[in-house]
Amino acid sequence: MATQENQNVIVMRHGDRLDNFEELWVMKAERPWDPPLHQDGKIRAFCTGQKIRSSIDFPIHRVFVSPFLRCVQTAAEVVRALCDVADHNGESNVLSSNSDSVIIDPSKVKVSIEYGLCEMLNLVAVRAAAAPKDGDFKFSISQYESELPAGTVDNTVEPVYKKLPEWEESLESARARYVEVVKALADKYPSENLLLVTHGEGIGSIFTELNKDATVLEVAYCGHLYAKRSIQSGENQSFTAGEFVYEKQTGIISAAK
């Protein structure tokens, strides 16, 4: 017998990046194209995770994240908020801005890095002074996975994109990529609710895909949107999915076309 339920997807931008606070950081960094979060960004990410958790009536099963360090660190803070044991047991209703003392249950959420959620790989998004001269971004996935809370990484997941897109991809290609990857991840896990951590252009691409008559003007750090679709499950793990429907957003400024 077929059963119907909703699949929920949250798409979120990373937190405040360090090079926007410390201008000289780029000049001395080994990887100037891949800034970490500023401390304010870590706090913003953790608080956003707490707010998301307190405002939704469904569990987040999986988190997928761009390989850029600022996104991985954002995901780490959000996952700590989602997996906070005290919060899950109702022992603490007070929102904190610090994740250092949080005890988590890593079985609650699984996290995987997805190349397809990466930054637009062109000079529109990657600052010319910081871009790698050879177009090689030299990501160490195992090193970045160590940034995530212990026990939350799922290494068994096959990514949608096996490698980064080609350097100097067009704006149109990048926007189509974001839409493609979100749909592919949702189709891969139709019975699970997802949270995707990506970049500003990724948020804008998904927002305008769901709101055809809108143009995105700005996406704040940790800005995010909610979408859902119906899933009708059949036999032998088959399913029929409805179209994603836009629900709401935080931190996205848009205008009518």
Side-chain angles (χ1 to χ4, degrees):
M1 179 181 294
T3 59
Q4 184 164 323
E5 56 186 16
N6 287 327
Q7 181 184 34
N8 300 276
V9 174
I10 301 173
V11 189
M12 176 180 174
R13 188 188 180 196
H14 59 77
D16 315 47
R17 49 192 285 175
L18 181 64
D19 55 343
N20 282 346
F21 290 81
E22 299 181 14
E23 294 182 2
L24 297 180
W25 177 87
V26 170
M27 298 177 61
K28 59 185 179 181
E30 290 184 18
R31 297 167 51 80
W33 55 83
D34 194 20
L37 290 183
H38 187 271
Q39 183 60 30
D40 288 355
K42 291 185 177 182
I43 292 171
R44 188 191 305 274
F46 182 65
C47 291
T48 301
Q50 289 181 312
K51 290 174 183 176
I52 288 174
R53 177 173 170 169
S54 66
S55 68
I56 58 178
D57 58 1
F58 53 85
I60 297 294
H61 300 101
R62 288 186 182 274
V63 173
F64 290 96
V65 56
S66 158
F68 280 77
L69 182 55
R70 56 191 179 273
C71 290
V72 175
Q73 291 179 333
T74 297
E77 295 298 320
V78 172
V79 168
R80 290 187 182 99
L82 295 176
C83 296
D84 182 352
V85 172
D87 206 14
H88 267 294
N89 293 333
E91 296 172 8
S92 174
N93 293 319
V94 179
L95 294 182
S96 167
S97 63
N98 192 333
S99 68
D100 292 346
S101 61
V102 167
I103 299 172
I104 71 165
D105 177 356
S107 69
K108 296 293 183 183
V109 177
K110 292 304 175 189
V111 191
S112 302
I113 291 175
E114 170 56 57
Y115 284 116
L117 292 173
C118 74
E119 179 67 278
M120 279 199 306
L121 295 189
N122 57 37
L123 294 177
V124 175
V126 181
R127 299 165 189 179
K133 303 307 179 186
D134 58 0
D136 184 355
F137 285 78
K138 299 180 177 66
F139 284 113
S140 171
I141 296 302
S142 59
Q143 178 183 345
Y144 280 13
E145 285 177 341
S146 68
E147 295 272 345
L148 298 164
T152 63
V153 176
D154 186 351
N155 296 117
T156 68
V157 170
E158 190 74 17
V160 176
Y161 272 61
K162 308 298 188 292
K163 61 179 182 178
L164 289 174
E166 293 297 320
W167 172 238
E168 295 187 349
E169 66 178 333
S170 69
L171 177 61
E172 293 74 18
S173 294
R175 288 174 173 172
R177 164 169 60 84
Y178 290 124
V179 174
E180 172 200 354
V181 170
V182 172
K183 176 71 162 52
L185 291 171
D187 285 348
K188 196 171 184 180
Y189 300 96
S191 64
E192 301 185 29
N193 300 314
L194 311 180
L195 189 150
L196 315 179
V197 182
T198 183
H199 303 263
E201 193 61 46
I203 305 296
S205 301
I206 302 304
F207 184 89
T208 53
E209 177 69 12
L210 297 171
N211 299 275
K212 302 289 188 183
D213 297 327
T215 297
V216 172
L217 304 177
E218 182 181 350
V219 180
Y221 286 129
C222 291
H224 53 281
L225 64 83
Y226 299 76
K228 72 176 181 180
R229 65 176 180 173
S230 62
I231 298 289
Q232 187 168 339
S233 303
E235 297 180 354
N236 300 321
Q237 296 185 325
S238 66
F239 69 93
T240 302
E243 294 295 321
F244 272 109
V245 177
Y246 169 76
E247 290 280 286
K248 59 181 179 178
Q249 60 85 12
T250 296
I252 301 173
I253 300 175
S254 64
K257 287 184 179 179

